Amino acid sequence: MKEISAIITCLLLYFNGYCQFAVRINITQLPAQPKTNVIFIAGSFNHWTPNDEVNKFKQDSAGNFYLKYPRLDPGTYEFKFTRGSWQTVECKKNGADIENRIVTIHSDTTLNFSIESWKDLSMQQPRKHTASKNVHIIDSAFYMPQLNRHRR
């Protein structure tokens, strides 16, 4: 009887350790500009490849972006959304970088995310200067002998 119990326990541990889960990722909100029809997910599961066709979102008839993984191993994953390159990675509305998103998969799951902005949009916005009016450039080729170079 102990042998059968031990075998059943081993089998349960074996199958539990090798189970996979269905995961659906939805993008619930996008920035107004630019209108895009291409979104990718890059992360620890695909060597951070920003334009991996396997990890390209699809659109439903209403235009909503989604990605389905029918069999995903349990574990913790880090990722970010892109429009195909690291120049077009997601960021905060003010253009600041965001930390990697982290999710732990341990059952069939539906995940919903919103994207505030894209990095290439924030780079197009002119930076506001904080220097007062009496600050000006002394020389465009100021020599620094300690560094053996010229600076503005």
Side-chain angles (χ1 to χ4, degrees):
M1 191 65 155
K2 287 182 181 181
E3 295 167 349
I4 293 174
S5 178
I7 292 172
I8 291 173
T9 302
C10 288
L11 286 173
L12 286 174
L13 289 173
Y14 174 80
F15 286 118
N16 191 32
Y18 288 96
C19 57
Q20 294 179 319
F21 303 107
V23 176
R24 179 183 168 111
I25 301 172
N26 300 313
I27 303 296
T28 57
Q29 185 177 349
L30 285 169
Q33 294 297 324
K35 295 288 185 194
T36 185
N37 60 357
V38 179
I39 297 177
F40 296 89
I41 187 171
S44 56
F45 48 86
N46 72 345
H47 305 290
W48 294 94
T49 305
N51 58 352
D52 184 5
E53 286 293 321
V54 172
N55 295 289
K56 182 178 179 180
F57 280 74
K58 295 174 176 45
Q59 283 184 280
D60 62 19
S61 59
N64 300 310
F65 286 92
Y66 70 94
L67 184 59
K68 290 182 180 179
Y69 293 101
R71 292 183 303 274
L72 194 62
D73 291 332
T76 300
Y77 298 92
E78 292 186 54
F79 60 94
K80 288 187 178 179
F81 300 109
T82 77
R83 290 190 345 262
S85 72
W86 290 114
Q87 289 75 30
T88 60
V89 69
E90 64 175 322
C91 64
K92 294 183 180 179
K93 282 184 182 179
N94 65 2
D97 292 332
I98 63 168
E99 296 292 321
N100 294 342
R101 296 178 186 260
I102 300 173
V103 66
T104 300
I105 303 299
H106 49 78
S107 63
D108 291 346
T109 307
T110 298
L111 304 166
N112 297 311
F113 296 99
S114 63
I115 297 172
E116 291 183 32
S117 188
W118 301 106
K119 195 66 173 175
D120 59 326
L121 298 181
S122 64
M123 293 187 309
Q124 295 173 357
Q125 299 171 356
R127 290 180 61 188
K128 293 182 180 180
H129 296 283
T130 58
S132 19
K133 293 180 183 179
N134 64 347
V135 174
H136 60 278
I137 297 172
I138 296 173
D139 190 347
S140 62
F142 188 80
Y143 182 69
M144 294 182 289
Q146 298 88 345
L147 300 175
N148 193 28
R149 58 176 46 174
H150 293 83
R151 286 285 188 223
R152 195 169 93 150

